[in-house]
Amino acid sequence: WALQANIQHLGNNSCNKSWTGKLAWENKTLQPRHTKKVFCMYVQQASKSKCKVAIKPLELENTKEPPLNLYKPKGPYTASIVSVERIVGPKAPGETCHIVIDHGGNVPYWEGQSYGVIPPGENPKKPGAPNTVRLYSIASTRYGDSFDGRTASLCVRRAVYYDPETGKEDPSKKGICSNFLCDSKPGDKIQITGPSGKIMLLPEDDPNATHIMIGTGTGVAPFRGYLRRMFMEDVSSFKFGGLAWLFLGVANTDSLLYDEEFTNYLQQYPENFRYDKALSREQKNKSGGKMYVQDKIEEYSDEIFKLLDDGAHIYFCGLKGMMPGIQDTLKRVAEQRGESWHQKLSQLKKNKQWHVEVY
């Protein structure tokens, strides 16, 4: 897939030189699917030029309400796989894939929403019935990785099960849907439902707002969509001028997801983007233990609490096991500041500043 995209300058909507920027997916479908490290789409020249990508169709900006449940489990939409790429290095525990799905513009969505996927086969718990829907946060903007409103991207970790006694993988207990997706090939058909979800929608009423994003593993998916909309796409109705602060927790450097995209934003927009990583198997917290996202939150707690007091939105996405440690940290920090975390959390929820999607 050698995609071409017209690039427009951030300042005046036209670059000084008329040129077309090549997107980094150059014929990846011709390469081995599981390469050492695959960096997903980004505008190569943008890392130095602060140019943004023209998007279409502009009608996707016209709806006032997000699309919801256009396709339901009993009547899913049949889409097709464009590409499946491994996006972690060889030392990452487990495999994570970036999967691009062609929905033909028929299943539109907003950043922060999810698609449902119905894997083929019958439900092992209900013989004769189809498999149940699995929800995946969408990892692209409404325009997709090809910027034409026809695709959606998912970030999927292959679920495998290891027997605790033998330490060997048990294929009979592997995740049905994640393995179906990671094993898919270009052209394969896929049944999707949705889009669904409103809690993680990116509030755009104030383009100068602060957005604090805390993700673990594939929980980075919606944040990739937010950041592409803020910093990569030329969206006339949304000119972001606030602060986006991403905290990403993964096991090690090889497990980082979309790191090159995020690093590019850091270079292009240092006043508008901050990026902190918690690498649990490579970094130590102040107590000498493993570094998790809650340790990073504690490290910057004074700043985070001040931003929340000033109206910042805070988002959490990832495995549900991430939340107790984060909540404990926030509670402890609040008490150290002489505040009641219970009252503060209630106020954040009341003000619609608190957004959580865990699974």
Side-chain angles (χ1 to χ4, degrees), residues 104-147:
N106 297 309
V107 196
Y109 57 89
W110 282 9
E111 299 74 25
Q113 289 191 298
S114 299
Y115 269 174
V117 176
I118 304 175
E122 62 178 40
N123 189 333
K125 296 181 180 178
K126 295 181 181 178
N131 273 307
T132 54
V133 173
R134 274 74 163 179
L135 291 178
Y136 292 92
S137 298
I138 298 172
S140 50
T141 72
R142 65 193 73 183
Y143 298 100
D145 285 2
S146 51
F147 308 104

Side-chain angles (χ1 to χ4, degrees), residues 222-279:
F223 307 142
R224 179 181 185 256
Y226 297 172
L227 294 169
R228 287 171 78 91
R229 186 163 174 83
M230 291 171 177
F231 300 126
M232 185 182 286
E233 298 178 344
D234 185 31
V235 183
S236 59
S237 59
F238 181 58
K239 300 295 185 184
F240 183 67
L243 172 65
W245 191 354
L246 173 63
F247 291 87
L248 176 58
V250 293
N252 55 21
T253 301
D254 268 22
S255 303
L256 286 169
L257 303 172
Y258 312 113
D259 186 57
E260 186 161 331
E261 281 188 25
F262 302 150
T263 302
N264 280 342
Y265 303 147
L266 203 57
Q267 294 169 351
Q268 296 165 30
Y269 303 98
E271 301 299 315
N272 303 98
F273 183 54
R274 294 175 66 171
Y275 179 30
D276 282 278
K277 312 166 196 177
L279 308 177

Side-chain angles (χ1 to χ4, degrees), residues 132-204:
T132 54
V133 173
R134 274 74 163 179
L135 291 178
Y136 292 92
S137 298
I138 298 172
S140 50
T141 72
R142 65 193 73 183
Y143 298 100
D145 285 2
S146 51
F147 308 104
D148 61 3
R150 298 179 61 86
T151 69
S153 299
L154 305 182
C155 180
V156 179
R157 176 165 175 163
R158 186 190 293 273
V160 293
Y161 177 82
Y162 291 93
D163 187 290
E165 293 184 3
T166 65
K168 294 183 179 180
E169 185 179 334
D170 184 349
S172 69
K173 296 183 179 179
K174 68 182 182 181
I176 294 172
C177 197
S178 65
N179 280 271
F180 158 67
L181 288 168
C182 291
D183 288 335
S184 294
K185 295 176 177 57
D188 286 356
K189 300 302 180 187
I190 175 175
Q191 302 286 309
I192 59 174
T193 67
S196 62
K198 296 178 75 172
I199 189 68
M200 293 292 283
L201 292 175
L202 179 66
E204 297 187 359

Side-chain angles (χ1 to χ4, degrees), residues 273-291:
F273 183 54
R274 294 175 66 171
Y275 179 30
D276 282 278
K277 312 166 196 177
L279 308 177
S280 61
R281 298 189 185 182
E282 294 180 5
Q283 299 172 328
K284 301 291 185 184
N285 61 24
K286 65 180 183 181
S287 303
K290 291 183 176 182
M291 176 72 79

